[in-house]
């Protein structure tokens, strides 16, 4: 059985320091909860693969633009040719407007989907929510989250106590 | 160091000196049982105007656009001017939010949420006007490209199709941007709410956000990337609206300055509305510690810069008309100054270019009343500009036998003022159910200032 520990700290700096100490002890936190982004804490957390936000958005945008280019070319030059003001049927210059709009929309949607997948949201039920104190993570408290199996349970608990958190809560996964 | 210390007191008042205080200030009006008397008064007034708007819209749809003052020459009338005016207001929110994020302007934190909401509502209202003006709104779906048995496709060279794409993508993307920034704040409301139903509703929309560092990392990456692509998109929206005019062959419209000049005009009127909303929220919710005088001071600076650019743009129009020496173009400029609507044109110049020059005085910039009054005036001036672009050019084009004037009817005014009421109506509902200020961003600002 796996266990989740949530160690509470009063300020972002205390949490950062504790995360650094824990990492130095060879027991890095798996996650940190804070009411606002504290990017510096990431370097002390257990490493995970980086999200591919930029690529996802670029591919989404390129697909959107390509699809709308094909749709416009096919409809205006092939399927429904209407000469308007003696302009050429394949007036590709003007197609850029809709291509650009589709590019923006699809890259935005691509970014949002990547965000949702990377964060595994929506996750309305999470073991951490069983800790009543965790509510304050959105308000004024900072938490370091540690994961441990049965074999390491006592070791990790001991390590966390040495960080002197305000409180330490535990839930079983 | 002294610069950062100065900025520490600059954007946050003495009552917002901890994350708890900041979140309480923003969330208390939504979650606690406070007096909502003023809100109800405003809500009832806005509801009355909303009813007027929808009655006039339904009457219009039932009777056709003949109920308006449009004639065979000035075919665009109020509808397209209102569309341009509303989309201009809608332009500022996402631009403020995205551009100021990318340029690391700290004062954006207190403004971005309600400015983005303003964008969503204003752009949605703007999008209604071309539909009302279609004449055959029931075939609106023909401008959507989809395979159909009629064998029809949209005409991609038509400005109407560009408008459809520009406005709908703008609304959808702005919604995405707005919601991406809102998720952490919904989690705050979920955690603070005491009523279980409220908690569940906010919890569902917060998607289970728990403030995890890994989530913050992805969210911030996405948010900055969205901001980076939002800026060119915002510029394109109003450029496309400007192309509706500039891509024509009409005197006074066929000008390459139109797209940038429309974008600046949009930023200008939008910032004006942001100032009005900021003052109302500050007063209505007691947010003096989060929306400070310094915020109005910087808004006034932006308004001053934009007013000056507007003045230069008008001058460039006159210069190119004179320099191009095209008869119709010169006639158009003379008509602006001496024709039927000359008082409105002078009003436009006065309201848009001269009045905001008061902001050269620091005392005027620091006076909230002055900023709000100037914002109201400049938005009237911007409406004059939008309506005169339509009236002057259409009513006084190449063919003298087709010179007409526009006489608005009751239904023109009803829809214009009704749409204002509908905007206030939507905005009041927003202020009742969602945090008007981005709590996590103000908290971050507070944290950064304390660190330095």
């Amino acid at each position: 059985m796996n266990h989740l520990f949530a160690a509470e700290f009063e300020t972002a700096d205390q949490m950062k320091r504790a995360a650094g100490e824990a990492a130095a002890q060879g027991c890095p936190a798996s996650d940190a909860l804070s009411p606002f982004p504290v990017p510096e804490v990431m370097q002390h957390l257990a490493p995970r693969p980086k999200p591919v936000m930029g690529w996802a958005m670029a591919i989404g945008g390129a697909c959107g633009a390509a699809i709308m280019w094909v749709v416009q070319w096919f409809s205006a030059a092939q399927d429904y040719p209407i000469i308007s003001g003696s302009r050429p049927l394949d007036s590709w210059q003007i197609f850029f407007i809709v291509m650009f709009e589709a590019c923006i929309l699809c890259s935005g949607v691509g970014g949002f989907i990547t965000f949702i997948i990377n964060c595994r949201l929506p996750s309305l039920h999470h073991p951490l929510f069983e800790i009543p104190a965790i509510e304050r993570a959105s308000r004024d408290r900072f938490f370091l989250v540690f994961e441990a199996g049965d074999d390491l349970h006592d070791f990790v608990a001991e390590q966390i106590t040495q960080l002197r958190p305000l409180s330490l809560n535990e839930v079983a996964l | 160091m002294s610069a950062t210390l100065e900025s520490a007191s600059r954007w946050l008042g003495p009552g917002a000196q901890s994350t708890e205080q900041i979140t309480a200030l923003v969330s208390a009006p939504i979650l606690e049982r406070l007096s909502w008397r003023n809100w109800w008064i405003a809500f009832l007034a806005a509801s009355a105007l909303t009813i007027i708007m929808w009655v006039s819209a339904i009457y219009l749809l039932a009777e056709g656009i003949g109920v308006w003052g449009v004639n065979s020459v000035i075919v665009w009338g109020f509808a397209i001017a209102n569309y341009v005016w509303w989309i201009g207001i809608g332009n500022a929110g996402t631009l403020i939010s995205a551009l100021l994020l990318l340029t690391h302007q700290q004062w954006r934190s207190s403004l971005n949420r309600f400015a983005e909401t303003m964008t969503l509502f204003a752009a949605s209202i703007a999008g209604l006007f071309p539909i009302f003006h279609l004449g055959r709104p029931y075939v609106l779906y023909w401008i959507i490209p989809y395979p159909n048995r009629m064998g029809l496709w949209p005409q991609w060279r038509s400005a109407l199709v560009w408008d459809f794409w520009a406005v709908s993508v703008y609304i959808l993307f702005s919604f995405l941007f707005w919601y991406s920034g809102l998720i952490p704040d919904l989690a705050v409301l979920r955690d603070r709410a005491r009523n279980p139903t409220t908690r569940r509703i906010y919890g569902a929309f917060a998607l289970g956000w728990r403030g995890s560092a890994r989530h913050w990392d992805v969210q911030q990456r996405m948010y900055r990337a969205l901001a980076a692509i939002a800026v060119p998109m915002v510029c394109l929206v109003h450029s496309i609206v400007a192309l509706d005019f500039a891509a024509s062959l009409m005197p006074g419209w066929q000008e390459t300055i139109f797209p940038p000049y429309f974008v600046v005009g949009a930023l200008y009127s939008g910032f004006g509305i942001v100032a009005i909303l900021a003052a109302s929220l500050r007063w209505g919710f007691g947010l003096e510690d989060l929306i400070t005088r310094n915020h109005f001071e910087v808004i006034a600076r932006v308004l001053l810069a934009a007013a000056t650019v507007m003045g230069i743009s008008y001058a460039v129009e006159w210069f190119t008309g004179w320099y191009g020496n095209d008869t119709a173009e010169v006639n158009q400029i003379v008509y602006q100054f001496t024709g039927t609507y000359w008082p409105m044109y002078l009003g436009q110049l006065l309201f848009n270019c001269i009045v905001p020059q008061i902001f050269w005085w620091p005392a005027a910039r620091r006076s909230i009343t002055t900023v709000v009054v100037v914002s109201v005036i400049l938005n009237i001036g911007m409406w004059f500009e939008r309506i005169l672009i339509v009236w002057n050019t259409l009513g006084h084009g190449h063919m003298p036998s087709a010179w007409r004037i526009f006489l608005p009817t009751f239904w023109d005014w009803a829809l214009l003022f009704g749409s204002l009421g509908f905007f206030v109506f939507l905005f009041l509902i927003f202020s009742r159910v969602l945090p008007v200020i981005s709590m996590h961003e103000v908290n971050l600002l507070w944290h950064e200032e304390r660190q330095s």
Side-chain angles (χ1 to χ4, degrees):
Chain A
M1 196 158 95
N2 274 335
H3 302 270
L4 271 187
F5 298 92
E8 183 180 354
F9 297 92
E10 199 171 356
T11 67
D13 295 324
Q14 285 171 5
M15 177 187 73
K16 270 186 279 182
R17 203 173 309 124
E21 279 171 28
Q25 300 286 336
C27 170
S30 63
D31 206 345
L33 311 185
S34 56
F36 47 82
V38 186
E40 302 88 350
V41 80
M42 281 295 280
Q43 57 187 344
H44 303 306
L45 300 184
R48 293 251 183 97
K50 276 198 166 172
V52 285
M53 187 56 72
W55 278 108
M57 291 179 71
I59 292 171
C63 290
I67 290 170
M68 281 324 292
W69 179 65
V70 171
V71 167
Q72 292 183 87
W73 167 79
F74 172 75
S75 62
Q78 304 293 319
D79 197 39
Y80 193 58
I82 286 186
I83 294 176
S84 155
S86 76
R87 279 167 282 198
L89 291 174
D90 182 12
S91 21
W92 53 270
Q93 297 90 339
I94 218 67
F95 294 171
F96 273 107
I97 291 179
V98 174
M99 281 166 69
F100 182 84
E101 295 291 349
C103 170
I104 296 281
L105 183 63
C106 293
S107 67
V109 171
F112 192 76
I113 292 174
T114 315
F115 161 71
I116 290 290
I117 293 175
N118 259 298
C119 297
R120 293 164 201 272
L121 295 176
S123 66
L124 300 186
H125 294 279
H126 191 274
L128 281 174
F129 288 137
E130 285 166 31
I131 304 171
I134 216 82
E135 276 187 7
R136 297 189 68 174
S138 67
R139 219 188 292 179
D140 58 349
R141 286 285 195 268
F142 300 80
F143 291 83
L144 283 181
V145 181
F146 295 82
E147 263 182 75
D150 276 337
D151 47 339
L152 286 173
H153 176 275
D154 296 341
F155 167 72
V156 172
E158 170 64 24
Q159 293 288 335
I160 302 171
T161 320
Q162 285 179 16
L163 303 172
R164 289 184 313 267
L166 284 180
S167 73
L168 178 60
N169 289 283
E170 186 187 335
V171 273
L173 276 181
Chain B
M1 190 67 193
S2 66
T4 41
L5 275 182
E6 190 195 315
S7 69
S9 55
R10 196 166 171 194
W11 308 121
L12 296 174
Q17 288 309 326
S18 72
T19 50
E20 173 61 27
Q21 279 181 336
I22 292 167
T23 31
L25 268 176
V26 180
S27 62
I30 306 168
L31 300 173
E32 314 293 332
R33 291 200 168 274
L34 303 178
S35 163
W36 282 86
R37 200 174 58 97
N38 291 337
W39 187 89
W40 276 109
I41 294 170
F43 187 73
L44 287 177
S47 305
L49 280 170
T50 304
I51 293 171
I52 292 178
M53 171 181 168
W54 287 106
V55 166
S56 50
I58 290 167
Y59 181 64
L60 167 85
L61 295 177
E63 289 291 314
I65 54 170
V67 302
W68 285 340
V70 290
N71 51 49
S72 57
V73 173
I74 307 181
V75 287
W76 281 4
F78 266 35
I80 302 302
N82 292 346
Y83 161 62
V84 179
W85 188 66
W86 271 116
I87 198 105
I89 292 167
N91 230 305
T94 306
L95 192 66
I96 289 174
S97 189
L99 201 60
L100 301 183
L101 177 75
L102 297 176
T103 51
H104 301 287
Q105 295 299 314
Q106 292 177 320
W107 52 278
R108 110 185 234 290
S109 317
S110 300
L111 305 179
N112 69 332
R113 169 68 43 71
F114 69 84
E116 285 171 32
T117 314
M118 171 195 85
T119 281
L120 281 176
F121 295 153
S124 307
I125 292 172
L128 290 175
F129 280 98
I131 299 175
F132 289 151
H133 186 258
L134 273 181
R136 289 188 291 164
Y138 44 88
V139 290
L140 167 73
Y141 63 95
W142 285 5
I143 57 176
I144 303 168
Y146 71 103
N148 53 65
R149 288 185 61 190
M150 299 178 288
L152 286 179
W153 284 101
Q155 172 55 271
W156 303 103
R157 305 181 198 91
S158 154
L160 188 63
V161 172
W162 308 339
D163 280 344
F164 165 75
W165 281 83
V167 176
S168 48
V169 168
Y170 186 58
I171 294 172
L172 292 172
F173 188 92
S174 297
F175 177 77
L176 211 56
F177 189 59
W178 174 82
Y179 185 58
S180 308
L182 187 63
I183 291 172
D185 279 4
L186 289 168
V188 175
L189 293 180
R190 171 199 67 200
D191 293 341
R192 288 187 79 101
R194 279 181 232 128
N195 180 331
T197 317
T198 320
R199 180 177 278 251
R200 255 188 223 119
I201 294 170
Y202 285 123
F205 284 106
L207 306 178
W209 180 267
R210 34 184 203 280
S212 146
R214 300 186 193 281
H215 290 184
W216 277 121
D217 181 48
V218 186
Q219 194 261 1
Q220 293 284 303
R221 279 166 199 270
M222 168 185 62
Y223 199 63
R224 277 193 297 266
L226 288 182
I229 52 176
V231 173
M233 181 200 54
V234 174
C235 294
L236 190 78
V237 178
H238 226 230
S239 299
I240 288 182
V241 174
L243 285 182
D244 295 353
F245 299 88
S248 72
L249 295 173
M250 299 293 285
W253 284 4
Q254 194 196 5
E255 295 167 10
T256 47
I257 197 179
F258 256 48
Y261 143 68
F262 266 48
V263 172
V264 175
L267 176 75
Y268 185 47
S269 56
F271 251 99
I273 299 286
V274 165
I276 297 168
L277 293 175
S280 328
L281 291 173
R282 181 186 143 100
W283 170 76
F285 291 120
L287 295 174
E288 288 85 358
D289 290 317
L290 297 178
I291 305 173
T292 64
R293 271 179 198 282
N294 294 317
H295 284 99
F296 290 92
E297 213 259 339
V298 283
I299 291 176
R301 281 166 192 254
V302 175
L303 291 178
L304 175 60
T308 312
V309 175
M310 291 309 288
I312 295 171
S313 304
Y314 297 147
V316 168
E317 279 200 297
W318 305 326
F319 172 78
T320 48
W322 166 78
Y323 192 70
N325 201 22
D326 179 76
T327 316
E329 197 74 38
V330 174
N331 278 345
Q332 179 61 228
I333 293 167
V334 172
Y335 183 69
Q336 284 175 349
F337 281 100
T338 59
T340 320
Y341 315 110
W342 70 267
M344 285 171 80
Y345 193 67
L346 288 191
Q348 169 194 332
L349 296 179
L350 180 71
F351 294 172
N352 288 352
C353 312
I354 313 292
V355 170
Q357 302 301 327
I358 194 177
F359 291 141
W360 287 103
W361 281 275
R365 291 200 299 269
R366 295 189 59 78
S367 152
I368 296 174
T369 321
T370 314
V371 176
V372 170
V373 170
V374 171
S375 300
V376 172
I377 290 176
L378 75 87
N379 265 292
I380 297 172
M382 285 308 292
W383 190 80
F384 281 172
E385 184 203 297
R386 291 4 181 154
I387 199 79
L388 287 180
I389 288 177
V390 172
W391 285 355
N392 277 335
T393 291
L394 287 177
H396 205 83
H398 288 287
M399 182 104 81
S401 61
W403 287 351
R404 299 278 188 284
I405 58 163
F406 185 94
L407 293 171
T409 64
F410 168 77
W411 298 106
D412 280 308
W413 295 113
L415 201 57
L416 172 63
F417 287 105
S419 69
L420 272 170
F422 186 48
F423 174 80
V424 176
F425 174 83
L426 292 172
F427 198 83
L428 284 168
I429 294 177
F430 153 73
S431 70
R432 184 75 182 84
V433 297
L434 288 172
V436 292
I437 288 179
S438 175
M439 291 180 273
H440 70 276
E441 287 180 61
V442 180
N443 282 338
L444 180 64
L445 169 68
W446 169 81
H447 172 67
E448 282 171 352
E449 286 181 343
R450 223 173 54 125
Q451 260 190 336
S452 54

